[in-house]
Amino acid sequence: MTAAPLATGTAPDTAGALLSVRGLTLDLVGGTPQPGLVQGVEFTVPKGRSVALIGESGCGKTLTAMAILGLLPRAVRVVSGEIVFAGTDLLTCGPRELRRIRGGPVGAVFQEPMSSLNPTMTVGDQIAEARRIHFREGRRTAREHARELLDRVGIPDARRRLDSYPHEMSGGMQQRVMIAAAIAGEPRLVVADEPTTALDVTIQAEILELLRDLRRDLGLAVLLVTHDLGVVADFCDEVVVMYAGHVVERAPVRDAFRTPAHPYTSALLGSVPRSDHARTPLQVIGGRVPPAGSFPGGCRFQPRCRHTAPACAEPQPDTVVGSGHHTRCGRVAAGGLQPGREL
Amino acid sequence: MSAPTTTIPAARRRPLGAVLRRPSSAVAFAFLVLLVGSAIAAPVIAPHDPDAQELGNRFAGVSLTHLAGADEFGRDVLSRLLYAARIAVTAPLISVGVAVLIGLPTGLWAGRRRGIVDAVSGRLADTLLSLPALASALAIVAVLGPGLTNAMVAVGIIFSPTVFRVVRGATLSVAEETFVESATAIGCSTRRTLWVHILPNIAAPLLVQVTILMGVALLAEASLSFIGLGVQPPEASWGSMLGAAYRNQYDAPYAVVPPGIALVLTVLTFNTLGDALRDVLAGRRAS
């Protein structure tokens, strides 16, 4: 499969980036307006690379992913920022262009495969839909492609399965169907919002294996939203850590895991249960993510941080601490703090 | 990965089959088949010309030549009943068709877009619903002129807010489902999302509403024909036959019985089928 033809005039500072999110700020409007649900989010997804977006629930990672897909809830408004995909700003390009990009060059996989598939449509029709919309294929050609795609995502007896309905399949198979539908438009980027969270552990591994194969074979870039650090270590090249609507750290996965440059990242890493530390208490991060609207000034993590100092009440700028390694902790950036890996 | 072995409840696969397994709705369905059959076959099975007058036979009782007697003009009541079955089948179809034609697209649109579109069409529907149905039908017929088609179009307009509300409500809840989001994420236009992804998922409540409306529409047709605004003489409908029987109640008090029974049975049939469909499809949602 070849990549769909697309304009590739990217801005100079993000050369090589397929997707770049810059200064994305989202507000909740309506009932109880809450500004800064997501604030100043910046990251890039280079061509063919896999980037993880991690953080606790309520950190804004799913909202960020939905903003990329243009699927923000009605009550959430984009205040500023741009989301440039292959030279097109998805936030300003208009519905027509957005329709062309979604399901075509940008595919999406969601968390719950069962509810992400239309229960009244055969899986064959749902996979063929992207082909029919984006390549204007006829019923028969699209169906043949759908069969190939089912084969490609490892569903046995693909020809017969084309006419199955989603409820006739297991969760793992449904997620394979979702992936087939996402790659049907020959995307260059797949946004996967917790694609394995709803699945059994053994199936999770299979689905990740499938995504890895597809990445390699199709040269896909993947933006993976997850809170599973094991998945990140296993699957991703780069990691973007979000906390309370801020990107607190972004780095190549290896650097983030070895030398985390933000206390939140190191606390997250510390709270992964480890078999080589059996019978020791599990590290946790005390408290919970503050609800939007009651974020503290300055560093948003400071109320839960072990290393809080007066300087943390000041706004924390995004600072480069290594090659491709950014942090939003001023004390780490200034060299006054080395969070390391908390054990 | 092995093929899943979960069995699908029969109701999910074949709602019609599940409906027919209930004795009451099986009888209702059989009656409906009989009704449609006699409507189609009326010219063949009717013993007499429904409009042929035989004034010597005015108010003739039940006999071998007139199995259900004769009316004020000596016309054969059975033949008129059979021909009237055609009206009983087509008239509700016109009304419900008009109601769906107006209510379905607007309901889908309002439920998906929400906001101002929804607010305006919702208020409009509320306004229409607040008017007494038959009185508004009378007003519309007064404008369009009497006649069966006009009367049934009027009834259809009166019904449209009911369809609108059912469709809008179902669309609101289905539109929140993730698969609608993923349809959007695949590049479906709003129109395609509405017709291909949302409509099949709201078909159940719509079908139930349509079936029940068929019965109500038949009653509305009978009412309008009863007072002479529906079918025009000499054509027969059960409502106009009841009207004639009412006018001649001192000469032939039993004449209300044949059209009355036909009307009651048919309306009951639609209601029974509507209820059965609702139960079966509700069970299907829950499972």
Side-chain angles (χ1 to χ4, degrees), chain A residues 208-226:
Chain A
L208 282 177
E209 196 57 41
L210 170 64
L211 280 174
R212 193 197 318 275
D213 289 351
L214 291 173
R215 263 192 67 201
R216 191 190 56 226
D217 299 350
L218 309 177
L220 277 181
V222 175
L223 178 65
L224 185 73
V225 178
T226 183

Side-chain angles (χ1 to χ4, degrees), chain B residues 154-214:
Chain B
V155 171
I157 295 172
I158 303 299
F159 282 174
S160 58
T162 312
V163 173
F164 167 84
R165 292 245 286 222
V166 168
V167 170
R168 173 189 170 272
T171 304
L172 271 180
S173 75
V174 170
E176 296 298 313
E177 303 266 353
T178 322
F179 68 80
V180 175
E181 254 182 18
S182 63
T184 314
I186 255 172
C188 292
S189 59
T190 307
R191 201 197 300 168
R192 190 179 169 91
T193 311
L194 284 178
W195 294 103
V196 177
H197 292 279
I198 294 181
L199 181 58
N201 286 288
I202 64 162
L206 181 62
L207 198 61
V208 171
Q209 192 61 44
V210 158
T211 313
I212 289 173
L213 278 182
M214 289 286 288

Side-chain angles (χ1 to χ4, degrees), chain A residues 71 74 99 102-103 110 115-121 129 133-134 161 167-170 173 176 181 206, chain B residues 1-4 6 8 12-13 112-114 178-179 181-182 184-189 192 196-197 200-201:
Chain A
L71 291 175
R74 273 161 220 275
R99 274 215 301 278
R102 287 192 294 215
F110 297 113
S115 54
S116 307
L117 291 166
N118 183 342
T120 58
M121 228 172 147
E129 193 165 37
I133 293 173
H134 293 281
R161 278 294 177 188
H167 65 258
E168 298 170 312
M169 299 184 141
S170 65
M173 284 226 252
R176 284 170 193 266
E206 289 178 19
Chain B
M1 218 177 296
S2 65
T6 44
I8 315 307
R12 198 161 203 166
R13 275 254 170 95
R112 179 78 176 122
R113 292 303 297 265
R114 318 240 294 252
T178 322
F179 68 80
E181 254 182 18
S182 63
T184 314
I186 255 172
C188 292
S189 59
R192 190 179 169 91
V196 177
H197 292 279
N201 286 288

Side-chain angles (χ1 to χ4, degrees), chain A residues 133-212:
Chain A
I133 293 173
H134 293 281
F135 302 100
R136 308 207 168 282
E137 283 180 359
R139 196 171 286 273
R140 191 173 297 174
T141 325
R143 186 180 159 85
E144 187 49 36
H145 276 123
R147 190 195 60 72
E148 283 167 17
L149 285 159
L150 273 185
D151 242 353
R152 183 65 197 80
V153 297
I155 288 188
D157 203 3
R159 187 169 295 283
R160 197 173 58 83
R161 278 294 177 188
L162 280 178
D163 297 316
S164 297
Y165 284 90
H167 65 258
E168 298 170 312
M169 299 184 141
S170 65
M173 284 226 252
Q174 288 169 353
Q175 196 59 297
R176 284 170 193 266
V177 169
M178 267 311 283
I179 293 171
I183 62 171
E186 302 181 2
R188 302 168 66 190
L189 171 71
V190 168
V191 177
D193 184 7
E194 309 202 17
T196 59
T197 308
L199 304 173
D200 285 349
V201 179
T202 49
I203 309 296
Q204 285 186 9
E206 289 178 19
I207 294 292
L208 282 177
E209 196 57 41
L210 170 64
L211 280 174
R212 193 197 318 275

Side-chain angles (χ1 to χ4, degrees), chain A residues 34-54:
Chain A
Q34 289 165 344
L37 223 49
V38 162
Q39 197 160 49
V41 163
E42 302 239 359
F43 65 90
T44 58
V45 180
K47 278 177 196 140
R49 305 276 278 182
S50 150
V51 175
L53 202 53
I54 65 167

